Amino acid sequence: MLHDVRLLALLILFVASSSQGVDGIMRCCGYGSSQLKYAGAMATFDVYGLPNLEKGKAIGANIWVGDYINSRMKVQAGWEVYPDTYGDSKTHFYVYWTDGKDGCANLKCDGFVPVNFAPITPGDVLETSNGPTNVTLKIYKNKQDGDWWLYFGHDINKLSAVGYWPKSLVTNMQDRSSYVAWGGCAISDNGAISPPMGNGQWPKSDSAASFRNVQLVDTSGGGYDPLGDSLHAFGRQTCYQTGVFRFGVQGNMFYYGGPGGCTS
C-alpha cells in the first residue's frame, strides 16, 4: 500500500476536478479507497438546496469511480447547485465523465447514454423545497456488456437504470476501476468566500450531511462492504471536515461538511 501522504495527495487530485470545469477552487470532503480493482460503488446521500447561491460558487455531493494511475479519468454522478451552469440556484441531478482530456457533464456531448423510461434525466431538478431528501446512486461495470451503468432511486431496494457510460469512453477502465470515492464538494472563485458544504453543519453533529449505505458493487450489481482498512478520509480543512466512518451503522456511513468561509 502507498504511503498515506502520497495516497491522499493522489486522492485529492482525483476528486478535485470540477464536473463543469470551473476555474475556481474546489474543496472536497469524504472517503476514498485504496488502489485495488473495483467494479463499482453505491451510497444513499442527503440532497440539499442553497437557493441564494451566487454565481462563481457551487456545492454538491458525488460518487466517483475512476482510474488511479490517470487520476483524471473517471465517471461520476450526484447532485449540485451550480448557477453558472444551470442559470439558477436549484439543486440538479448530474452525471459526468472524462478520459483525462475530453469529457462533459449531463448530455452536453456524446458520452453518457440515457435509457428509455429512466426515472430521471441528467440535468433535472431535484426538489428540496419540502425539506431534506435523499437519493441512492449506484455505478457499476455490468458483466454482460462491460459498460458502466448508473442506477437511481429514493429507496435502496428500488433502483432503476438511468443510463450508462460506454466502456470505450474510459479506456483505462475497460476491465475494472482502480479507485472509488464518496463525498461532498464546494467551489468558489479565487479569493471569494467559500459556500457551505452539505447542509453547513460540522460532521460532529448527527444532523449534518451524510452518506449512508456506503458499499462497493460487483459486476452483477450487488453491494458488499468495503474492508475496514481500505478507506481513507480526505479533505479535512478549516472550513470543512470529514467525520468518522462508521461500519455497520446505517449500512456503513459518515458525516461530512461545514459552514464554509475559506478564502484560500
Side-chain angles (χ1 to χ4, degrees):
M1 183 179 295
L2 292 174
H3 189 276
D4 284 350
V5 172
R6 184 183 173 198
L7 174 67
L8 291 177
L10 288 172
L11 194 158
I12 292 169
L13 174 64
F14 175 80
V15 299
S17 53
S18 167
S19 66
Q20 312 285 351
V22 160
D23 293 328
I25 299 173
M26 173 175 270
R27 303 170 178 89
C28 299
C29 288
Y31 278 85
S33 69
S34 299
Q35 182 184 1
L36 293 169
K37 290 185 177 181
Y38 302 99
M42 66 183 296
T44 300
F45 46 108
D46 306 324
V47 177
Y48 295 101
L50 198 57
N52 298 315
L53 192 63
E54 305 166 348
K55 286 191 174 182
K57 298 181 181 181
I59 64 168
N62 327 265
I63 297 177
W64 298 272
V65 178
D67 179 60
Y68 197 91
I69 302 302
N70 181 352
S71 59
R72 294 190 182 277
M73 180 176 290
K74 63 181 181 288
V75 297
Q76 66 189 66
W79 63 265
E80 60 185 1
V81 182
Y82 208 148
D84 286 36
T85 291
Y86 299 101
D88 59 44
S89 56
K90 296 179 180 180
T91 306
H92 293 259
F93 169 70
Y94 86 94
V95 302
Y96 179 73
W97 69 273
T98 178
D99 61 4
K101 296 180 180 179
D102 299 316
C104 70
N106 299 331
L107 305 178
K108 294 183 177 179
C109 69
D110 292 337
F112 184 82
V113 181
V115 299
N116 293 330
F117 310 111
I120 194 167
T121 300
D124 281 357
V125 172
L126 291 168
E127 295 295 343
T128 59
S129 57
N130 295 324
T133 185
N134 63 73
V135 298
T136 299
L137 298 182
K138 176 168 66 175
I139 300 173
Y140 77 102
K141 188 174 184 62
N142 190 308
K143 66 180 180 181
Q144 300 298 326
D145 54 25
D147 296 324
W148 291 94
W149 281 81
L150 172 64
Y151 279 67
F152 171 98
H154 296 284
D155 182 335
I156 192 172
N157 297 310
K158 296 179 181 179
L159 302 181
S160 300
V162 176
Y164 63 92
W165 296 274
K167 59 185 178 182
S168 59
L169 282 180
V170 280
T171 54
N172 287 19
M173 296 165 57
Q174 290 201 20
D175 179 28
R176 296 286 182 96
S177 74
S178 55
Y179 204 88
V180 297
W182 307 259
C185 293
I187 298 172
S188 57
D189 286 340
N190 290 309
I193 297 174
S194 67
M197 184 188 297
N199 62 2
Q201 296 190 38
W202 294 109
K204 295 179 181 179
S205 168
D206 287 346
S207 58
S210 69
F211 277 75
R212 305 180 300 281
N213 302 314
V214 177
Q215 293 185 307
L216 301 172
V217 182
D218 62 30
T219 56
S220 297
Y224 63 97
D225 294 339
L227 297 175
D229 62 350
S230 66
L231 300 184
H232 306 270
F234 60 87
R236 291 192 176 100
Q237 303 163 53
T238 57
C239 54
Y240 311 112
Q241 292 182 1
T242 303
V244 174
F245 195 94
R246 305 180 183 184
F247 287 95
V249 177
Q250 298 186 58
N252 306 323
M253 63 89 63
F254 65 91
Y255 296 108
Y256 74 95
C262 289
T263 55
S264 60

